[in-house]
């Protein structure tokens, strides 16, 4: 995503919360990407992107 980051600590927190959010959202949708490190990584990336998008949407307004 374009723009500046939020700093190392906030980026780590966003990654952790995003991983949880991705697991929850995809679980609610019935989407299962697989097990293991690769599946967890994909879910965490999806959740983090959603969370960053929401944060930037709120900060813009």
């Amino acid at each position: 995503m374009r723009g500046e980051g939020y700093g190392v600590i906030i980026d780590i927190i966003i990654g952790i919360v995003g991983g949880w959010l991705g697991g929850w959202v995809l679980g609610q949708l019935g989407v299962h990407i697989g097990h293991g490190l690769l599946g967890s990584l994909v879910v965490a990336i999806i959740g983090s992107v959603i969370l960053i998008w929401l944060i930037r949407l709120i900060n813009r307004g």
Side-chain angles (χ1 to χ4, degrees):
M1 295 189 156
R2 295 181 183 210
E4 298 178 14
Y6 297 103
V8 175
I9 301 297
I10 301 298
D11 286 346
I12 291 172
I13 293 170
I14 288 173
I16 292 169
V17 174
W20 175 81
L21 178 68
W24 183 78
V25 168
L26 293 179
Q28 293 296 315
L29 295 174
V31 176
H32 301 286
I33 296 184
H35 300 288
L37 180 63
L38 187 59
S40 297
L41 185 62
V42 170
V43 169
I45 289 171
I46 291 170
S48 296
V49 169
I50 291 170
L51 185 59
I52 290 170
W53 177 75
L54 288 172
I55 290 171
R56 290 186 179 187
L57 187 67
I58 292 169
N59 285 341
R60 203 180 317 166

